[in-house]
Amino acid sequence: VCWQLFGTSLMLKLGGIFSPAWNVRYRLLALMSLAVFMLSAPARALEAVDLELLLLVDVSRSVDANEYILQRDGYADAFRDPAFYSGYIASGRYRRIAVSLVYWSSPNFRQVAVPWMRVDSSASAAEFAAAIIRGSATSDGTGKNARPFDGTTAPGSALAFGFPRFFDNEYEGLRKVIIVSGDGPENDGISTTKARDEAIAAGVDTINTLPIASETLKGWYIRNIQAGKDAFTIGAKDFPDLPAAIRYMLQRTLSPNR
């Protein structure tokens, strides 16, 4: 009986709230309070990292299958090395970075091979290395010899595709850095210098470059792509020199003051 009386009382109260007799002013006040609560709810916090690093890797037609593998495995081997984490990533304030890898060639040929991943240990660095191999797989499903595509060389389009990804991830880095590797100058796509300038204006701190195979190309990369604070270029004389150049590029990017 008590529960029946309690239920009846509650229904009467609720009926009063939603009845026409309830003052419209209080209804509006309730709606306004709800809106303020929703607007004041905290946004999702971004995870602090020492570095947000975007790797833009050229797989255009001038990069043959073996050269593509040298690039891919050069990055994978560098992250797989336990000394890379302990000697460079772990030396930062937060002891972690966020990194993503994108393949590019023609204006509309881009593939996010590895979405943003947190690297905060030797184990997670090795996981990123494994993700590079998996992320390059196409029809064969293994990533051993697969090549995502080839095409013309559009570094400007690659930059324009890549840099907005810094502002739509789960991380907030002390620095935002792009590394562009490739073996040829722009021959397609939007203006490289325009895309470079837009990236820096948007908040990218540094664009480092890794041109392959000629001093002439190195000069073009310096003039047209390299930009920002502490930016630098490391040239690889040819593809066999690429793994060592990649390793040094990553080490110097992680520790610019060394």
Side-chain angles (χ1 to χ4, degrees):
V1 175
C2 292
W3 280 107
Q4 290 176 340
L5 291 174
F6 173 77
T8 302
S9 175
L10 179 62
M11 291 298 295
L12 288 172
K13 289 180 180 179
L14 290 174
I17 290 174
F18 293 105
S19 69
W22 199 46
N23 195 304
V24 174
R25 182 172 58 186
Y26 292 104
R27 297 187 189 185
L28 291 174
L29 182 61
L31 290 172
M32 290 173 62
S33 298
L34 178 61
V36 169
F37 172 78
M38 293 177 67
L39 289 173
S40 62
R44 182 183 63 182
L46 299 177
E47 181 177 1
V49 293
D50 293 299
L51 175 69
E52 294 171 72
L53 178 61
L54 177 62
L55 307 173
L56 295 181
V57 179
D58 178 10
V59 293
S60 59
R61 194 168 296 119
S62 56
V63 179
D64 68 29
N66 290 329
E67 293 166 347
Y68 155 68
I69 291 171
L70 282 171
Q71 279 193 98
R72 182 200 68 187
D73 289 0
Y75 281 110
D77 290 344
F79 276 89
R80 193 179 291 116
D81 182 358
F84 180 60
Y85 174 77
S86 61
Y88 294 91
I89 298 175
S91 64
R93 179 189 303 177
Y94 299 111
R95 300 173 62 86
R96 57 181 178 262
I97 67 171
V99 59
S100 174
L101 186 144
V102 173
Y103 292 123
W104 62 273
S105 64
S106 302
N108 294 319
F109 285 8
R110 287 98 48 155
Q111 175 182 308
V112 179
V114 186
W116 290 105
M117 286 183 63
R118 179 180 62 192
V119 175
D120 59 1
S121 64
S122 294
S124 59
E127 289 173 7
F128 180 75
I132 292 175
I133 305 301
R134 289 195 305 271
S136 66
T138 53
S139 58
D140 70 355
T142 67
K144 291 181 179 179
N145 298 304
R147 179 184 177 85
F149 44 75
D150 61 15
T152 55
T153 307
S157 299
L159 284 168
F161 172 79
F163 82 78
R165 303 189 68 249
F166 283 107
F167 310 105
D168 189 26
N169 63 25
E170 299 176 353
Y171 304 97
E172 184 59 48
L174 299 178
R175 293 184 295 138
K176 293 175 172 61
V177 177
I178 298 173
I179 296 176
V180 182
S181 62
D183 77 334
E186 169 194 317
N187 60 28
D188 201 357
I190 68 173
S191 165
T192 301
T193 54
K194 181 176 184 293
R196 174 202 64 193
D197 294 344
E198 288 178 350
I200 297 298
V204 173
D205 296 293
T206 308
I207 304 175
N208 294 330
T209 69
L210 207 168
I212 306 161
S214 86
E215 286 297 313
T216 301
L217 180 64
K218 180 178 180 180
W220 189 89
Y221 265 57
I222 291 172
R223 292 189 302 274
N224 294 276
I225 304 180
Q226 176 183 309
K229 183 180 179 182
D230 298 322
F232 63 92
T233 290
I234 294 173
K237 292 181 180 179
D238 208 341
F239 277 91
D241 303 313
L242 192 54
I246 286 173
R247 190 176 296 265
Y248 180 57
M249 166 64 76
L250 289 170
Q251 291 170 352
R252 188 171 163 187
T253 297
L254 266 292
S255 301
N257 298 320
R258 285 192 181 185

